[in-house]
Every structure is written in structure tokens, then in C-alpha cells.
Amino acid sequence: MIDELLVDARERMAKSVESTRHEFGSIRTGRASPALLDRIAVDYYGASTPLKQLATISAPEPRLLTIQPYDKNSIKAIERAIQESDIGLTPGNDGNLIRLAVPELTEERRKQLVKVVRQIAEEGRVAIRNVRRDVMHDLRELKEAGEAGSDDEHRAEQELQKVTDARIKELDELLKHKEEEILEV
């Protein structure tokens, strides 16, 4: 039973790290990447729909993104969603295609993006700590129900702490790498 809890904790913590890695991918670093638009949701006929379900997104040049909507009528809604988002890009369209020029980042914008990245990393750490808290609670319940001894509970808590520390260290490494990428001129 304790082993199952630890395996579950490892899986959930790994998912938290992967989610944070995915969020980092959607932060702009001065290069055009279709992942920049992953978090954008478009109000499409009254339903909030992810942009990548409404259009083909490509990066034909290092500083240009193109968005080819499947439905030409959705161009205005896509432009509005991009303008209202926090990516800081202004869309231009020719009736068929939306172009997003990715400008060089200013020093001030880089510092703002570092703050955003640190916030995302902190959310990832909180998610990992929440998993640890939930599993610790389950371990205590097992001990109180008499299904596990206090030595077993203590060993499991130590193992859980090691896994938690390793995942948080992994997140910190991702954060450090992303900060370097953003601050690189």
C-alpha cells in the first residue's frame, strides 16, 4: 500500500514538472516558436477554443509566425484573442493569413518575462508540495488505521521527501535554463 502511494506521488510530481516545462515553452524568448501561442484561447462561436484547434501555426522565419485559420470567418476572433493575451505581439492579416512579427526583446521586457517564468516555476513547486502533502496525509491515515507501522511510515516519508527534493531541483534547473535563454541577447 505504501509503495503504491509513493509510485502515485512520483507520477503526479513528474506530471507537475512536465506541465511547468510546457508552460515555459509558451514564454517568448525573442525567437518565433508556435509554442508561444499554446496558451491562447479564442472565443469561437461562444466557446473558448484553443487557437491550435482553429488554425495551422508555423514559423517560416526566425522572427515571424503565421497563422492560417481553417475557417476564414474566425480571423477577427483570433486577432482579438492574440491582442488580449499577454504575449505582447500585434497581429496583421491579409484576409487569409495572420502574421505575427516577433520583435527583439527589450531589456525591460526580458526582466518582466523572467518574473513571469519565476511565477510559473513557483506554481510548479507548489503543485509538487501539494502532492507531497496529500501523500503524507494518506500515510498518516494508514498508520492510524493500523495498516502500517510507524517505522514504515517514517521510511516512506523520508523517501517521499527525497522524491520531492529531486523534482524541485529539476524545476529549478529548468527555471535557470529558461532565465538564461530569456536574458541571452
Side-chain angles (χ1 to χ4, degrees):
M1 189 66 182
I2 289 176
D3 291 338
E4 290 173 17
L5 287 173
L6 291 174
V7 167
D8 179 54
R10 282 189 189 95
E11 289 172 3
R12 290 170 50 199
M13 287 180 186
K15 286 178 186 172
S16 295
V17 170
E18 198 50 47
S19 172
T20 303
R21 178 179 284 130
H22 181 72
E23 284 282 317
F24 281 174
S26 67
I27 300 294
R28 200 172 107 193
T29 59
R31 286 185 217 92
S33 164
L36 291 174
L37 305 175
D38 281 354
R39 293 184 294 158
I40 295 181
V42 180
D43 184 24
Y44 186 63
Y45 294 110
S48 182
T49 310
L51 176 59
K52 58 185 172 185
Q53 291 181 7
L54 298 175
T56 302
I57 303 167
S58 59
E61 299 171 23
R63 299 224 172 271
L64 181 71
L65 283 174
T66 58
I67 303 166
Q68 176 81 48
Y70 302 130
D71 175 11
K72 304 277 185 257
N73 299 327
S74 66
I75 285 185
K76 290 287 181 216
I78 291 172
E79 279 189 315
R80 190 176 318 108
I82 292 170
Q83 287 171 338
E84 292 171 356
S85 73
D86 64 350
I87 62 170
L89 298 177
T90 307
N93 85 60
D94 62 8
N96 296 322
L97 192 71
I98 297 173
R99 288 184 178 81
L100 291 172
V102 179
E104 195 65 52
L105 292 173
T106 64
E107 189 64 30
E108 183 180 324
R109 183 66 179 146
R110 288 178 196 276
K111 288 178 180 170
Q112 288 174 340
L113 289 175
V114 166
K115 287 179 185 173
V116 170
V117 167
R118 286 181 179 158
Q119 180 61 38
I120 291 170
E122 183 56 32
E123 289 169 9
R125 285 188 208 102
V126 167
I128 289 170
R129 288 192 295 260
N130 285 343
V131 170
R132 182 189 65 194
R133 185 196 63 220
D134 293 346
V135 173
M136 289 282 214
H137 179 75
D138 293 344
L139 288 170
R140 284 191 194 101
E141 282 184 350
L142 278 178
K143 183 182 144 201
E144 289 169 8
E147 294 180 33
S150 83
D151 287 348
D152 293 335
E153 180 208 13
H154 187 67
R155 272 194 291 276
E157 285 179 0
Q158 286 179 328
E159 179 65 26
L160 182 62
Q161 188 60 48
K162 285 179 190 170
V163 172
T164 302
D165 293 343
R167 291 301 181 192
I168 287 180
K169 185 174 186 229
E170 187 178 345
L171 260 185
D172 290 342
E173 290 294 319
L174 287 173
L175 173 63
K176 182 178 166 208
H177 177 71
K178 190 65 177 182
E179 282 181 357
E180 288 170 0
E181 192 179 318
I182 289 171
L183 294 173
E184 170 189 310
V185 179

